[in-house]
Amino acid sequence: MSGIPSVDLRKFLNEDKSSREKFISEIGNAFEEIGFVALSGHFLSEALVSELYKEVKDFFNLPQKVKNKYEIEGIGGQRGYTSFGKEHAKGRKEGDLKEFWHFGQYVSNDAELEKEYPKNVVVDELPDFNKVGKEAYLMLEKTAKYVLRALALYLDLPETYFDEYIKNGNSILRPIHYPPIEVEPKNAVRAAAHGDINLITLLMGAHGKGLQVKNREGEWIDAIAREDQLMINVGDMLSRLSNNKLKSTIHRVVNPPRELWGTSRYSIPFFMHPISSMKLDCLDNCVNQKHPKLFEDITAGAYLNERLIELGLIKK
């Protein structure tokens, strides 16, 4: 496959059976082939997207001393600020050329999960930052819920199979700033080749060159969405659950041409995570003689912890 397929969520949200089935087939086939789609018809308004980018840029433009006070020790970067170069891809020592922020779940009616998750961090200098971040989080979470409902049907599961696991799930909204490149990077890129940990990722900000996806032939292809689209990809948790029927595809963010080194890049992924107790055991209907079981049984929480250690965000 030489390009990223486009799909429209509105085909699934209407009541026309053939339209829904077409969407299910389109997104399921794309996730089997390349693990990525560009999705329109989501729940984010243009106004909310504009507000979010303004707040995000205002935060990253704050003095470094101010940003540093929002970097919270001991929580593996799960909330608040993570400074430049601290995260690296699995198997690499060089830190990625980025800084980022994490908004986490807004738990409702579950005291135990409220204790399990770190609290969201409030930015005192920007009165609308947290309000706009929460609005975007909830709209992305709503979009992801319906994408997962379509994928459940594609996997011959009940449509609402994922609902109980993603309600109050450990999802993360991550505004990322890739600052201007001032000196020749030594083996470092804006985001080294990696697969995502979670069920699915919904990415804002894939409108220009930079994001690349490795296809089945081992070629790197540009993943560029229209301004009204989100780029959505399969994460390792969903790949495990489906016994690799749905592909978690390696991707990266490459450095721009030298003439564009002086420019920033912003992107905002939403990592859809389930609750930590969800079992990621391969589904019985995805395992057969032709497709033997590829992964050991594990819970989402244990798997996340393993990966955060590999990324350098949690120390053993």
Side-chain angles (χ1 to χ4, degrees):
M1 189 174 283
S2 59
I4 305 300
S6 290
V7 296
D8 189 335
L9 185 59
R10 286 166 291 207
K11 289 182 182 177
F12 184 71
L13 297 176
N14 71 38
E15 295 182 4
D16 180 72
K17 185 179 178 184
S18 63
S19 175
R20 282 169 56 86
E21 288 176 349
K22 190 169 188 289
F23 178 84
I24 293 164
S25 175
E26 286 174 345
I27 196 168
N29 289 335
F31 281 171
E32 278 203 48
E33 286 295 315
I34 197 164
F36 272 73
V37 296
L39 179 128
S40 54
H42 51 76
F43 293 101
L44 287 167
S45 68
E46 283 185 40
L48 180 54
V49 170
S50 296
E51 281 185 87
L52 181 61
Y53 272 105
K54 177 191 177 299
E55 293 298 325
V56 165
K57 289 175 182 179
D58 285 350
F59 174 78
F60 288 119
N61 283 331
L62 290 172
Q64 191 62 47
K65 185 177 180 181
V66 174
K67 290 187 287 188
N68 286 346
K69 73 179 183 179
Y70 296 113
E71 188 157 24
I72 312 300
E73 292 297 320
I75 60 171
Q78 291 179 74
R79 300 291 184 273
Y81 177 63
T82 297
S83 52
F84 182 82
K86 187 160 280 190
E87 184 182 70
H88 58 78
K90 178 180 176 180
R92 288 180 67 101
K93 294 179 181 176
E94 299 85 12
D96 289 343
L97 304 179
K98 67 189 180 191
E99 56 180 344
F100 54 89
W101 179 272
H102 275 166
F103 296 101
Q105 183 60 265
Y106 302 89
V107 177
S108 61
N109 301 318
D110 194 320
E112 288 306 308
L113 279 178
E114 277 196 90
K115 292 177 192 172
E116 180 182 328
Y117 299 154
K119 285 183 166 47
N120 275 301
V121 179
V122 176
V123 177
D124 298 326
E125 292 78 5
L126 301 172
D128 292 330
F129 180 79
N130 290 84
K131 175 178 75 73
V132 173
K134 181 177 181 179
E135 287 176 20
Y137 184 105
L138 294 175
M139 290 302 100
L140 286 159
E141 186 176 51
K142 184 177 179 181
T143 301
K145 177 175 77 172
Y146 287 101
V147 170
L148 285 171
R149 284 186 176 184
L151 293 176
L153 292 170
Y154 186 76
L155 294 171
D156 296 322
L157 298 168
E159 181 174 341
T160 57
Y161 174 86
F162 290 101
D163 284 20
E164 66 177 297
Y165 301 118
I166 61 174
K167 180 177 169 53
N168 289 327
N170 194 16
S171 299
I172 292 286
L173 178 61
R174 172 189 278 194
I176 304 172
H177 175 221
Y178 303 100
I181 298 171
E182 297 176 350
V183 295
E184 182 83 43
K186 293 183 179 178
N187 299 320
V189 293
R190 284 183 159 174
H194 65 284
D196 291 343
I197 301 169
N198 41 288
L199 290 170
I200 55 173
T201 300
L202 290 72
L203 174 66
M204 304 167 61
H207 308 142
K209 283 195 171 185
L211 176 64
Q212 294 185 333
V213 175
K214 185 178 272 191
N215 66 15
R216 281 192 177 185
E217 289 72 44
E219 304 161 329
W220 286 104
I221 62 172
D222 290 326
I224 301 174
R226 299 193 314 260
E227 288 205 6
D228 66 327
Q229 292 179 317
L230 300 171
M231 193 66 74
I232 302 187
N233 63 279
V234 176
D236 291 347
M237 288 185 182
L238 186 56
S239 177
R240 291 182 76 102
L241 188 73
S242 67
N243 198 35
N244 206 35
K245 180 179 176 71
L246 305 182
K247 303 294 188 292
S248 177
T249 307
I250 298 298
H251 51 286
R252 66 186 182 184
V253 179
V254 296
N255 298 334
R258 186 177 284 269
E259 61 268 22
L260 296 177
W261 276 13
T263 60
S264 285
R265 176 187 174 94
Y266 297 90
S267 65
I268 308 176
F270 177 79
F271 301 113
M272 171 57 94
H273 280 265
I275 55 176
S276 60
S277 59
M278 180 184 181
K279 292 181 179 180
L280 301 179
D281 308 0
C282 297
L283 296 165
D284 290 341
N285 58 354
C286 293
V287 178
N288 54 42
Q289 206 165 10
K290 189 178 176 183
H291 301 100
K293 185 177 177 180
L294 297 173
F295 305 104
E296 293 182 2
D297 296 348
I298 195 169
T299 63
Y303 184 66
L304 174 61
N305 192 65
E306 279 184 12
R307 292 295 299 275
L308 291 176
I309 291 170
E310 291 170 347
L311 295 175
L313 292 175
I314 289 180
K315 305 301 180 189
K316 281 187 178 179

